[in-house]
């Protein structure tokens, strides 16, 4: 008798990676997604990490690297954060997911293109990897809007982050996987309509390039920055954004999706994969919860105070947050280096609710 069946609902980066790894271990894998070709607009940037570096390289999805970040805080100024080595990859996410799905099928996974409910499917292990669509409540997510646009010039190793504290928003301008002269720009605003978010993103893009912008593609998608962090429950393993594993303060999600899939793959070797996964993923879940607190802390401040705090954060904080993610260690290091900023940030964190 062969190994038992794994049922995966959602074949984005996390679900597709787990399908491949589980099938490669000899498990029978039945996987569902409503899209034949995966498309979910985002910044398509991922922190460089050894755990999945080989996977990204084998997929051929890496189009470039980012070594410089521009942090804009309206009313205060601009910080340029230089890294000793590249901090991010820019990836073609559709190509990455396509590679992972093909690899999973080559190992024997059965992929079905249709909707499914992980709670209703039967299998030894059930996995919810449905991204933001795992969170039906409107107050758990915001709408993001992403543009691919041709511009006169943009340094391909540079990314811009624009923080809008008056509207609890963030906009980005990143290099695009489509190559030189094309940028990936987007953003989101708390409690705003798609029309308002479009206006915000187009304003930031137009100001940066003096209106010389030609839009090639534009799409919108939800991002679950306010969802609860629950990696497992009801006998189901949850991956990535479906588990609330997302950097709410910056919108980064691909890294956590891939890491949670690799941890879920490891958990399959135990007698109780759901319990083992909960143990393995705990540090990642802790990081996601911390980013919720950071987001709430900034939102709870008056916009002027929030902007001032963001701008006063030292370069060392931004360098660590961008290249490694959020951590208590990073915050303690920041508080030690800048006691005044640290005290203000600590007060904001204590006033926030997870």
């Amino acid at each position: 008798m062969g190994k038992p069946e794994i049922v995966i609902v959602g074949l984005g980066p996390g679900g597709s990676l787990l399908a491949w790894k589980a099938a490669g271990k000899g498990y029978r894998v039945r996987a569902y997604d409503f899209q034949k070709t995966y498309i979910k607009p985002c910044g398509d940037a991922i922190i460089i990490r050894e755990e999945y570096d080989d996977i990204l390289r084998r997929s051929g999805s890496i189009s470039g690297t980012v070594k410089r970040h521009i942090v804009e805080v309206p009313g205060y100024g601009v910080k340029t954060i230089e890294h000793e080595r590249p901090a991010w990859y820019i990836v073609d996410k559709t190509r990455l997911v396509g590679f992972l799905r093909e690899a999973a099928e080559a190992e024997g996974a059965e992929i079905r293109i249709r909707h499914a409910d992980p709670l209703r499917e039967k299998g030894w292990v059930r996995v919810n990897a449905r991204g933001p669509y795992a969170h039906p409540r409107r107050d758990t997510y915001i709408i993001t809007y992403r543009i691919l646009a041709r511009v006169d010039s943009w340094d391909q190793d540079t990314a811009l982050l624009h923080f809008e504290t008056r509207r609890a928003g963030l906009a980005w301008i990143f290099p695009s996987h489509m190559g030189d002269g094309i940028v990936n720009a987007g953003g989101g605003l708390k409690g705003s309509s798609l029309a308002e978010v479009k206006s915000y993103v187009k304003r930031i893009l137009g100001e940066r390039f003096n209106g010389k912008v030609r839009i090639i593609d534009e799409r919108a998608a939800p991002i679950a920055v306010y969802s609860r962090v629950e990696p497992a429950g009801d006998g189901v393993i949850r991956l990535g954004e479906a588990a609330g594993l997302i950097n709410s303060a910056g919108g980064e999600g691909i890294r956590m999706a891939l890491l949670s899939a690799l941890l879920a793959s490891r958990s399959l070797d135990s007698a109780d994969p759901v319990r083992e996964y909960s143990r393995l993923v705990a540090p990642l879940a802790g990081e996601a919860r911390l980013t919720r607190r950071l987001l709430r802390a900034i939102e709870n401040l008056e916009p002027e105070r929030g902007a001032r705090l963001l701008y006063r954060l030292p370069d060392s904080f931004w360098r660590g947050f961008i290249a490694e993610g959020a951590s208590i260690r990073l915050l303690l290091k920041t508080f030690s280096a800048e006691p005044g900023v640290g005290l203000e940030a600590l007060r904001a964190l204590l006033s926030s609710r997870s």
Side-chain angles (χ1 to χ4, degrees):
M1 183 176 178
K3 288 189 175 182
E5 187 174 48
I6 313 295
V7 177
I8 302 170
V9 179
L11 286 170
S16 297
L17 177 55
L18 180 57
W20 177 28
K21 292 296 184 181
K25 289 184 173 187
Y27 291 97
R28 291 180 291 121
V29 174
R30 179 163 41 95
Y32 299 87
D33 199 279
F34 67 92
Q35 294 184 107
K36 185 173 183 179
T37 300
Y38 178 84
I39 299 175
K40 182 177 183 290
C42 71
D44 293 339
I46 181 171
I47 292 175
I48 297 174
R49 290 283 292 266
E50 182 180 357
E51 292 94 325
Y52 45 68
D53 195 83
D54 182 62
I55 294 168
L56 295 179
R57 292 182 183 278
R58 288 176 64 183
S59 72
S61 62
I62 301 171
S63 64
T65 59
V66 174
K67 194 175 179 181
R68 179 186 305 107
H69 286 80
I70 299 169
V71 178
E72 285 188 344
V73 183
Y76 281 87
V78 176
K79 289 175 174 280
T80 300
I81 310 300
E82 302 278 357
H83 305 272
E84 291 185 4
R85 59 180 62 88
W88 289 356
Y89 286 134
I90 299 298
V91 297
D92 181 339
K93 196 165 59 169
T94 297
R95 182 168 184 171
L96 169 62
V97 171
F99 166 82
L100 293 173
R101 289 185 183 186
E102 289 178 6
E105 288 186 304
E107 293 286 357
E110 178 188 357
I111 292 179
R112 302 180 182 180
I113 305 302
R114 69 172 178 82
H115 288 275
D117 183 343
L119 291 176
R120 295 184 178 181
E121 296 299 325
K122 294 181 179 180
W124 180 61
V125 174
R126 295 170 296 163
V127 179
N128 185 341
R130 297 176 59 231
Y133 307 106
H135 308 285
R137 284 179 49 185
R138 177 67 180 85
D139 60 355
T140 63
Y141 60 86
I142 63 172
I143 298 298
T144 59
Y145 171 66
R146 189 272 290 147
I147 293 172
L148 297 179
R150 187 173 297 281
V151 298
D152 285 344
S153 66
W154 183 257
D155 290 338
Q156 290 298 296
D157 65 350
T158 300
L160 179 143
L161 298 169
H162 174 100
F163 290 89
E164 181 56 74
T165 57
R166 291 175 301 173
R167 302 285 300 279
L170 169 71
W172 71 79
I173 301 176
F174 295 167
S176 166
H177 68 268
M178 295 180 68
D180 292 351
I182 299 176
V183 296
N184 177 320
L189 295 168
K190 180 182 179 181
S192 298
S193 67
L194 177 57
E196 291 172 313
V197 178
K198 281 185 175 184
S199 176
Y200 167 56
V201 172
K202 289 181 177 180
R203 175 175 62 82
I204 299 301
L205 192 61
E207 289 174 354
R208 172 59 58 168
F209 297 104
N210 296 316
K212 298 178 180 178
V213 175
R214 183 164 69 84
I215 295 175
I216 298 172
D217 183 72
E218 54 183 324
R219 298 175 188 268
I223 179 170
V225 295
Y226 297 107
S227 62
R228 289 178 60 85
V229 180
E230 294 180 314
D234 300 318
V236 174
I237 286 174
R238 302 188 186 102
L239 302 181
E241 200 172 345
L245 297 174
I246 188 170
N247 182 334
S248 295
E252 176 220 358
I254 307 174
R255 169 178 63 101
M256 291 191 179
L258 295 181
L259 290 177
S260 62
L262 292 172
L263 294 172
S265 175
R266 284 175 54 189
S267 78
L268 297 178
D269 300 323
S270 70
D272 188 343
V274 176
R275 177 177 293 182
E276 178 65 4
Y277 172 70
S278 297
R279 184 186 70 82
L280 292 173
V281 83
L284 200 61
E287 180 188 349
R289 292 188 182 99
L290 178 59
T291 67
R292 300 292 195 284
R293 295 293 296 270
L294 292 172
L295 177 62
R296 295 291 190 190
I298 294 298
E299 289 179 352
N300 288 346
L301 292 174
E302 300 248 348
E304 178 72 14
R305 286 185 62 201
R308 183 179 69 237
L309 176 58
L310 286 173
Y311 188 71
R312 289 181 63 201
L313 288 168
D315 289 2
S316 59
F317 169 84
W318 289 109
R319 194 169 289 112
F321 181 76
I322 288 167
E324 300 172 15
S327 68
I328 295 295
R329 181 179 60 83
L330 174 61
L331 292 179
L332 291 175
K333 183 178 178 181
T334 301
F335 296 169
S336 175
E338 297 284 346
V341 176
L343 181 59
E344 186 173 0
L346 182 60
R347 286 172 177 163
L349 280 169
L350 291 175
S351 70
S352 68
R353 295 190 299 273
S354 58

